[in-house]
Amino acid sequence: MVKIGVIGIGKMGISHLSILGGNPNVDVVGIADNSQMIMEAIGKYAPFKCYTNHIEMIENERPEAVFVSTPTKYHFSMVKELMVKGIHVFVEKPFCLNSKEGAELVEIANSKKLINQVGYHNKFIGTFSEAKNIIKHGGIGEIVHFSVEMHGPVVIKKKEGTWRSKPNEGGGCLMDYAAHSIDLINNMIGKINTVEGVLIKSIYSKDVEDAVYALLKTENNISGVLNVNWSDETYRKMSTTFTILGTKGKIIVDSTEIKAYVKETIPDSNYFKGWNIYHINDLSEKVDFYLRGEEYSAQVQYFIETLEGKKENNINTFKSAWETDQVIEKIKCYNNTKHA
Amino acid sequence: MHRIIFGDNQFFGVNHVSDEKSRTQSIKFKEDKTILNTIDFALGNGAGAFMCTTHDRISKLNEVIRQDIKMANSLEFYPCLPYAHKYANALTELGVTGTIKEYLPGNILGSFMKGGIAYMKNDYIAMMELLIDAELKMFRNLHTPVIFLQNVITDLLLGLKMKNILKSYHDYIIKKYNAEPGYITMNMPALLNMLEEIGISNPIICSSINIDGFRMSGGKALYENTLKTKNVRGVAMQVLSGGVANPEKSIEYVCSLPKIESILFGASSKENIINTISLIKKYDSKDSLNIESVAV
C-alpha cells in the first residue's frame, strides 16, 4: 500500500481523490484544503482524515507522496516544501507561474531523486500516443507543418470569476487551457523554441485572455499554428485536434479518434496505403477504476506504479512541464513586446 | 423496466468515439421537432422508454411534449441527473462555492430558505435534495418511473466512498418521486459491492457492457462473473462500443448475458434504430431463458 496525501480539493483534487480512493493499492492517509466548508463536507461523508492546514496533514499522516491540486500560484512553495521533506509529488498543470520557479523545482527533484509528475493527462490518451508513435517511426515522413485546434465552452459569458480569471495567479486561456496543447506539441512533434507571432484576445473575461493564436517553431525546425479558444460554446467540452502534415502522409488526431493518411503502407503496422481510422476504444489503456476518461485514471495509476518501482519516471516529469512553462512565458513575452 | 430504452446522447452531440460525429449530430438535431420525431419513431418501433439527461434542451422539449397530451401520457422518461458538464464547467469558472451558489435554486423563496439553512448547518444531504428537485423540475406532470444518477457523480461518490450520500439519493428518489432509483456507472462490479454494503439489494445499474470490454473497468470477465453470481437489474449501455463494433455480434453478446434487464441505445437515423431494435428482438427470441429473466 502506498501512502498518499492530497492537497487542494477543488475540481481536479476531488477527481484525483476519488480515483485514488478507487485504487486498492493506495492508502489515502490525509487530505487538506484551506476551505473549512469543503473539509467539513468531505469529513462528514467520506472516510478521509481532513485538514485545513496542509503542513499539519503532512506532519501527522506522513504520506510518501502527495498530490498538489491547489491554484497554480501555490504550486512552487508547496511542492518545494514537500520535496525538502523527501516527499514524492504529483502536481497539477500548469506547473509554475514562471520558468525560474520551475527550474528550481526540477533541480530539487533531480538532486533528491524524487518521483515527480505533472497532470498533463492528454499524454495518457491512446489516440495521441498512437500519433506520436507513428511520427517517431517516420510513418508520415518528415513533418512539414502542424496545426492545433483547441476549443471549449469554459467562459461563455461575462461574469465574476475565481483565481482562474486572475492573470497573476495562473488564470487565463493560455496557462490554464492552451498549456495542454503546448505540452502535447513539445511531446509529439518537438520542443518549441521560437515564437514567431501571437494574437491574444479577451472575449468575455475582463482581466485575462479567452483566446490565443500563435505561430510556433520547434528546435527541429518544424513550424505550425496554435489556435486555442475557451469561449466557444459550439463545443460541448474541451476538444483538441492536431493536424500534422508530413512528406509521406498526414495525421488528424483528437481524443476520440486518429485518422492517418499514408502514402505507402507502414511495414509491420495497421496502417495501410490511404486513409486509416482507429478509435479510442481500440487504443485506450484499460483501467481498473474509471471516473471521467481513461486518461485521468491512467495518469494516477502511472504515478502509483512509478512509486512502487514498476515504471520509469519519464512521462510528464517536472522537466517536461517546465519546458511547457517556458513556451508559455515566450508567448507572453512576445505579446508584451508587441504591445510595448 | 422496458427491455429496450432509447437514449439521448445523439441529440446533444455526445459521441464517445468521434468528436467529429458529435458536431455533425448537434447540427442535425438543432430543431426540437427533429428530436421529437426521432423519439416518436424509436418508441413506435419497439423502444419502451426514453432515457435522457437533465440538459436544458430536454427542459424545452418537455414543454412541447406537455402540449401533446397523447405523447405526454404515453411517454415514459428515465431521467439521468445531473447534466454533469454544466457543473464541471461551472467548477472551472466559479469554484466550488460559486457553483453551489449558481445552481442552488435561490430564486424560489422556499428553496432559498431550505438551502440557506442547509448551508448553514452543513447539511449536504438536504442540499443534494434541493439540487435533485431543481434538476427534476423539468419533468413535472410527466412519467418518470426510473430516475438515474449520472456516472460522473455515481463514480465520484464511489471513489470517495460517500456511502451515505448514495443511500440518501436512493431513499429520496423513492420517497419524493415514488420512482425506482438507478445508477449509471463505469465501475459496475465495484458499485454493486458498495450498494450491497449499504443495504441496497438488487439495484438497477446501467453500465457499459459490450463484446470489446470497452469502458468495463476491471475487465469483461469480472463483469460477466458479477452478472452470473450476483443480484442486479442490469441496463447495458454502449453495447456497440460507441458505434464502432459489429452490431450483430455485439447484440448477440449482450442478449446472451444474464441479469441484463434492459438495453439502452441511441441512434440518429431511422435505419439504425430499426436495425438495432430488430437485432435485439432476434437474439432475445433465440434465448428464451433470457426473456424469462427480463419479464418484470
Side-chain angles (χ1 to χ4, degrees):
Chain A
M1 290 282 262
V2 186
K3 289 167 74 179
I4 304 280
V6 181
I7 303 174
I9 310 294
K11 183 184 168 189
M12 289 312 301
I14 201 134
S15 159
H16 292 318
L17 182 58
S18 177
I19 292 168
L20 289 163
N23 187 324
N25 299 328
V26 169
D27 180 13
V28 178
V29 293
I31 65 173
D33 192 287
N34 61 9
S35 158
Q36 197 163 348
M37 189 196 90
I38 293 171
M39 285 299 89
E40 276 176 11
I42 295 186
K44 192 165 175 180
Y45 300 106
F48 301 113
K49 287 188 185 163
C50 300
Y51 291 83
T52 47
N53 180 321
H54 70 279
I55 305 278
E56 262 179 50
M57 187 271 280
I58 301 300
E59 283 172 0
N60 290 350
E61 308 302 337
R62 306 265 163 204
E64 292 161 57
V66 165
F67 279 65
V68 177
S69 35
T70 56
T72 315
K73 69 170 175 177
Y74 300 117
H75 287 180
F76 172 68
S77 59
M78 281 184 178
V79 172
K80 186 173 170 183
E81 211 170 11
L82 292 165
M83 290 198 301
V84 166
K85 292 178 192 292
I87 296 171
H88 307 287
V89 177
F90 179 109
V91 60
E92 253 320 307
K93 49 64 56 180
F95 185 34
C96 292
L97 288 178
N98 58 63
S99 64
K100 191 169 160 276
E101 290 178 352
E104 193 177 334
L105 296 185
V106 170
E107 170 56 32
I108 301 173
N110 289 343
S111 65
K112 293 187 75 95
K113 296 192 168 41
L114 292 166
I115 310 282
N116 54 93
Q117 192 176 326
V118 181
Y120 282 109
H121 52 79
N122 282 340
K123 285 201 203 102
F124 290 87
I125 296 179
T127 47
F128 290 123
S129 34
E130 179 80 352
K132 184 185 173 184
N133 213 17
I134 297 172
I135 294 166
K136 195 173 139 193
H137 292 98
I140 57 165
E142 298 290 316
I143 310 266
V144 178
H145 180 75
F146 64 87
S147 170
V148 179
E149 300 276 336
M150 184 184 189
H151 308 283
V154 180
V155 182
I156 51 169
K157 57 186 169 190
K158 283 189 178 147
K159 71 170 84 157
E160 295 223 352
T162 59
W163 63 270
R164 289 174 197 270
S165 52
K166 291 176 187 155
N168 299 326
E169 297 187 13
C173 175
L174 175 59
M175 284 196 84
D176 204 16
Y177 219 56
H180 281 293
S181 289
I182 293 167
D183 189 74
L184 268 184
I185 297 170
N186 273 350
N187 182 251
M188 279 165 60
I189 298 165
K191 282 180 206 159
I192 298 164
N193 67 356
T194 322
V195 174
E196 303 201 327
V198 172
L199 287 172
I200 279 185
K201 296 182 184 181
S202 293
I203 301 167
Y204 301 108
S205 298
K206 212 162 53 183
D207 301 314
V208 293
E209 71 288 346
D210 294 316
V212 178
Y213 308 101
L215 293 172
L216 306 168
K217 194 187 260 183
T218 66
E219 63 184 13
N220 41 348
N221 243 348
I222 303 166
S223 57
V225 184
L226 177 70
N227 175 349
V228 184
N229 179 345
W230 74 1
S231 296
D232 186 344
E233 67 181 70
T234 65
Y235 291 80
R236 192 176 66 89
K237 56 180 184 172
M238 182 200 283
S239 164
T240 307
T241 308
F242 274 59
T243 303
I244 305 148
L245 185 67
T247 51
K248 292 184 187 168
K250 174 170 152 177
I251 294 172
I252 303 169
V253 60
D254 61 33
S255 63
T256 57
E257 64 188 345
I258 176 165
K259 288 178 277 195
Y261 177 89
V262 289
K263 285 191 176 185
E264 297 300 334
T265 295
I266 305 174
D268 306 320
S269 83
N270 292 325
Y271 291 86
F272 305 99
K273 187 175 174 173
W275 282 104
N276 300 266
I277 302 179
Y278 294 102
H279 295 92
I280 187 67
N281 45 354
D282 301 314
L283 301 166
S284 67
E285 204 174 310
K286 299 270 183 271
V287 296
D288 287 336
F289 181 79
Y290 179 106
L291 180 62
R292 47 194 293 235
E294 281 84 3
E295 65 273 25
Y296 294 97
S297 300
Q299 67 171 356
V300 171
Q301 184 65 33
Y302 175 76
F303 183 68
I304 302 301
E305 287 178 1
T306 312
L307 287 168
E308 292 171 332
K310 295 177 187 162
K311 293 257 165 87
E312 288 275 319
N313 183 199
N314 54 17
I315 305 177
N316 284 341
T317 57
F318 282 5
K319 185 166 177 287
S320 72
W322 170 58
E323 285 161 357
T324 299
D325 283 354
Q326 288 174 310
V327 178
I328 292 172
E329 210 163 66
K330 280 180 183 164
I331 292 176
K332 278 185 187 167
C333 178
Y334 187 100
N335 192 53
N336 292 341
T337 318
K338 194 174 73 180
H339 293 294
Chain B
M1 274 190 301
H2 291 279
R3 173 64 169 165
I4 304 174
I5 305 170
F6 191 59
D8 71 340
N9 273 352
Q10 67 283 353
F11 300 143
F12 308 117
V14 181
N15 188 297
H16 299 290
V17 293
S18 169
D19 277 354
E20 193 175 303
K21 208 168 165 191
S22 296
R23 286 190 287 277
T24 317
Q25 286 175 335
S26 64
I27 293 167
K28 175 172 177 180
F29 290 107
K30 179 173 177 279
E31 302 297 333
D32 292 345
K33 205 170 167 15
T34 321
I35 298 183
L36 289 171
N37 288 345
T38 311
I39 297 171
D40 212 30
F41 183 83
L43 296 176
N45 282 280
F50 176 50
M51 186 153 157
C52 55
T53 40
T54 50
H55 191 287
D56 286 348
R57 278 295 292 285
I58 293 288
S59 177
K60 292 186 187 91
L61 283 174
N62 287 353
E63 294 295 333
V64 182
I65 291 170
R66 271 190 212 95
Q67 310 294 318
D68 180 342
I69 294 170
K70 195 175 153 233
M71 194 174 191
N73 283 335
S74 62
L75 186 55
E76 282 191 23
F77 288 90
Y78 294 174
C80 318
L81 60 96
Y83 178 63
H85 281 289
K86 179 171 81 179
Y87 294 101
N89 287 330
L91 278 173
T92 306
E93 198 189 345
L94 305 170
V96 176
T97 38
T99 301
I100 292 171
K101 276 185 203 154
E102 175 92 1
Y103 288 107
L104 265 190
N107 54 341
I108 306 151
L109 189 67
S111 315
F112 178 74
M113 291 302 287
K114 197 180 169 192
I117 292 162
Y119 191 87
M120 299 294 285
K121 281 190 181 167
N122 220 357
D123 183 350
Y124 294 90
I125 288 178
M127 205 187 286
M128 176 193 75
E129 291 175 352
L130 281 177
L131 288 169
I132 292 174
D133 291 347
E135 294 276 323
L136 287 176
K137 220 171 141 193
M138 64 177 74
F139 295 99
R140 67 189 180 281
N141 301 329
L142 296 169
H143 303 296
T144 57
V146 189
I147 298 169
F148 284 91
L149 192 62
Q150 270 289 5
N151 56 288
V152 174
I153 302 298
T154 307
D155 292 331
L156 184 72
L157 296 173
L158 174 65
L160 295 175
K161 302 181 173 77
M162 288 189 165
K163 300 174 188 176
N164 285 345
I165 307 260
L166 281 169
K167 180 78 170 84
S168 304
Y169 167 80
H170 191 90
D171 296 344
Y172 190 65
I173 293 299
I174 296 171
K175 195 179 104 195
K176 172 92 188 261
Y177 293 94
N178 193 26
E180 294 196 83
Y183 303 85
I184 308 179
T185 180
M186 296 293 178
N187 309 284
M188 187 271 278
L191 177 70
L192 181 57
N193 286 341
M194 183 172 284
L195 293 178
E196 283 176 346
E197 262 178 54
I198 55 177
I200 300 173
S201 55
N202 203 19
I204 296 174
I205 300 185
C206 175
S207 64
S208 295
I209 294 185
N210 51 66
I211 196 164
D212 296 334
F214 178 54
R215 303 256 153 99
M216 295 167 77
S217 311
K220 202 168 122 186
L222 177 65
Y223 272 60
E224 287 171 354
N225 192 46
T226 303
L227 290 171
K228 210 159 67 183
T229 57
K230 293 196 149 197
N231 288 327
V232 59
R233 297 173 65 192
V235 179
M237 64 172 181
Q238 296 189 327
V239 290
L240 304 179
S241 311
V244 294
N246 175 310
E248 183 100 27
K249 282 186 182 158
S250 304
I251 301 288
E252 182 179 15
Y253 171 74
V254 172
C255 289
S256 75
L257 295 171
K259 319 271 173 62
I260 300 297
E261 190 168 316
S262 306
I263 295 171
L264 166 68
F265 84 100
S268 52
S269 75
K270 288 182 175 177
E271 192 192 348
N272 284 346
I273 292 171
I274 298 265
N275 284 347
T276 308
I277 292 176
S278 45
L279 281 173
I280 297 171
K281 288 187 170 164
K282 175 179 161 187
Y283 286 101
D284 273 354
S285 64
K286 279 191 178 175
D287 186 351
S288 60
L289 273 176
N290 202 34
I291 287 179
E292 277 167 27
S293 74
V294 301
V296 175

